Amino acid sequence: MNASAATRPLSFIDLLAQRHRLGARIDEAVMNVINSGAFVMGPQVRAFEQQMAAFGEAAHCVSCANGTDALALPLMAWGVGAGDAVFCPSFTFAATAEVPPWTGASPVFVDVKADTYCMDADRLDAAIREVKAAGKLTPKVVIAVDLFGQPADYPAIAKVARAHGLKLIADSAQGFGCTLDGKHPMHWADCVTTSFFPAKPLGCYGDGGAVLTNDAGLAELMDSLRVHGKATAADIAATKFEHDPKYMAMRIGMNSRLDTVQAAILIEKLNVFADEIAWRNRIAKRYNDGLRDVVDAVPTVIDGGVSVWAQYTIEVQGRDELAAHLKAHGVPTACYYPIPLHRQVPYRDYPVGGNGLPVTDAKADVVISLPMHADLSEADQDRVIDAIRAWRR
Ligand SMILES: *Cc1c(COP(=O)(O)O)cnc(C)c1O
């Protein structure tokens, strides 16, 4: 290795390496859409939805404009609104907690487990009981997050949600493709949402999102909501229209469609996604082996779980010094999430359930994420590992 290769800045997530690997397939997919003229809801959208549903082991997939709208669609379809409580972690990206207030509902923050950073089912149960006892909000929905790519503890979380009569959303924006005991989150959740933001494990070349569900009625309602509340087949069967039902609005919806160009790109990306998940797992194992003895914690994946490794996140005391040291060696890092949502201004007045958020608060100070993407070479990964080992000495 020459000197410039040893100091060349690495990418945190190298999107162009994948783009070059996919090559002409992407060019053709994009040009096919452009030359077809079917720019909105073209045939690639339906084709991609079917492939997504099959991959995530769901009966239905409703694609939409981004992973935030994907969370809004089921809440709207279920009629969640003012006075309702939606339980979610604080140790997550803002979108998870941002959507309940759109409907008038309140997020209720629940602590995470110290090893996996995913929702703690016991804390969830305590939080739901507290909210019920206080009598101000009505518990309606749980949003579990597949943080950093690994499945939340769905058997335990679904059991609590069911016992209290709550709906369960798996926010799998970071975790789409993850499994637990060989099953996708759809096995336990009422719906699974994901984001195709470019840096997510299954990303497109812009914004996009999707909701997976086994509930045909919910899928039909979300299909209506994403296109301004258009009439569904059930609406048309039940109503005598005096005009073409195409322009009849049956409910307040929104405009949240997956772009046809993005669907065409995603079809090509989904074709290689299973291989990429395997590569990401190989890379994560190499990091574990190279770092286990020098950092406070390498990632813990739940027993029986397979992560898609949206992030590879370690714990160290002196996180900021490590970040500066790595930066000087051309190694970018990121900190997810330095300030949990319940301590940020727009969210600080919403309730915290189940004895506070001690794990969330403690983890925010020690986590640091390292370069992770399917095309990370062993040589580049060794630079990251060697630089961390040198800092420790
Ligand atoms: C990225 C992300 C979202 C939102 O996705 P967008 O496509 O950016 O709207 C939601 N939840 C989590 C946990 C995310 O990481």
Side-chain angles (χ1 to χ4, degrees), residues 44-293:
Q44 290 86 351
V45 175
R46 193 68 211 115
F48 173 64
E49 286 175 338
Q50 279 164 358
Q51 290 164 26
M52 267 298 277
F55 196 101
E57 294 183 339
H60 308 276
C61 169
V62 177
S63 61
C64 60
N66 54 66
T68 309
D69 286 356
L71 290 164
L73 285 167
L75 295 187
M76 290 166 75
W78 289 327
V80 171
D84 293 336
V86 177
F87 299 82
C88 67
S90 168
F91 199 52
T92 179
F93 181 61
T96 311
E98 181 179 29
V99 172
W102 290 3
T103 70
S106 170
V108 177
F109 293 113
V110 175
D111 213 359
V112 294
K113 296 182 83 126
D115 51 356
T116 62
Y117 315 135
C118 290
M119 185 182 267
D120 184 327
D122 293 335
R123 300 287 94 214
L124 171 66
D125 187 56
I128 297 170
R129 286 173 196 281
E130 266 172 33
V131 168
K132 280 185 172 170
K136 289 205 192 98
L137 295 168
T138 309
K140 281 281 172 69
V141 178
V142 176
I143 306 180
V145 176
D146 298 330
L147 202 75
F148 302 155
Q150 73 162 306
D153 186 358
Y154 287 109
I157 292 168
K159 198 171 157 203
V160 171
R162 298 269 133 72
H164 291 283
L166 273 58
K167 299 281 191 195
L168 174 59
I169 297 177
D171 178 352
S172 215
Q174 301 178 16
F176 181 73
C178 73
T179 56
L180 182 55
D181 296 330
K183 299 183 193 87
H184 288 262
M186 190 72 258
H187 180 77
W188 295 275
D190 293 291
C191 54
V192 175
T193 65
T194 195
S195 162
F196 305 123
F197 183 79
K200 310 281 177 173
L202 181 62
C204 61
Y205 291 168
D207 278 305
V211 192
L212 275 63
T213 183
N214 288 327
D215 179 339
L218 177 65
E220 195 175 57
L221 215 44
M222 294 192 297
D223 176 46
S224 165
L225 289 165
R226 73 175 161 173
V227 187
H228 310 288
K230 69 173 183 184
T232 64
D235 293 326
I236 292 168
T239 317
K240 232 178 126 270
F241 287 97
E242 286 169 23
H243 302 275
D244 181 351
K246 188 167 178 216
Y247 292 106
M248 302 304 271
M250 304 304 292
R251 52 193 62 82
I252 301 287
M254 57 202 213
N255 177 3
S256 185
R257 294 175 287 229
L258 179 66
D259 193 272
T260 310
V261 170
Q262 301 302 343
I265 290 165
L266 281 162
I267 287 171
E268 300 305 322
K269 293 238 213 174
L270 192 59
N271 280 336
V272 297
F273 190 46
D275 287 339
E276 291 188 352
I277 292 172
W279 301 344
R280 285 169 177 272
N281 273 282
R282 196 180 63 208
I283 292 163
K285 185 178 178 305
R286 261 188 112 247
Y287 266 141
N288 286 345
D289 294 343
L291 295 174
R292 189 176 281 110
D293 59 327

